[in-house]
Amino acid sequence: MNFLGHAYIARNHPELIAGNFAGDSYKGNLDNFDLPKHIIDGIRLHRYIDDTTDHSIIILEAGHIFQANGIKKITYIATDLLLDHFLAREWMKFSSKDYELFIQAVYKFTEKYLDLLKPDFQGLYANLKEYGWFFDYPTEQGMRLILEQFSNRIRFQNDLTRCMDIYLENQAQFDHLFATFLIDIKLSSVEFIEQL
């Protein structure tokens, strides 16, 4: 899952959003970071989501569709990004809250603690908000732009920009897998959050 998926999983626990959102910036033992508990718990949630996604048979199956179409090294970058596209496009099937209001709430709860987070995340967040990435996710045109931007950030030659076409050619299969995965992780994350 990418930015939207992480925010969606933390949606009922706004105190976890900032840490969950910034999770990739924090490596190693979390005891080494002088951060409030709710930020640390948000990072723990981020790691849980990443680990669950990485080991999901459902996501592996989605990855195999890309691999069968010649996508190799960036298979699971593609599944993360297109899972967010699916979630944004089908938002009302997964949430009763208006999409734009949800994004504004994500901004609010991230910015409340932004000065506590690492500078690399602060820069990434500034770009995410300035360029309206969340509002590009739902549309094909917006998603193509995001795939191009991510492709340019990868330090080796890649076919990430081809992945939207592959997704569209296999949309029914991808959408079934993504919907099933979102239901599963939504339920399992409730238990994880309760244990924090």
Side-chain angles (χ1 to χ4, degrees), residues 2-27:
N2 203 45
F3 295 116
L4 180 61
H6 279 279
Y8 171 71
I9 294 300
R11 68 198 179 286
N12 294 326
H13 301 273
E15 74 282 3
L16 300 179
I17 286 176
N20 181 28
F21 222 31
D24 281 335
S25 295
Y26 295 89
K27 309 296 182 190

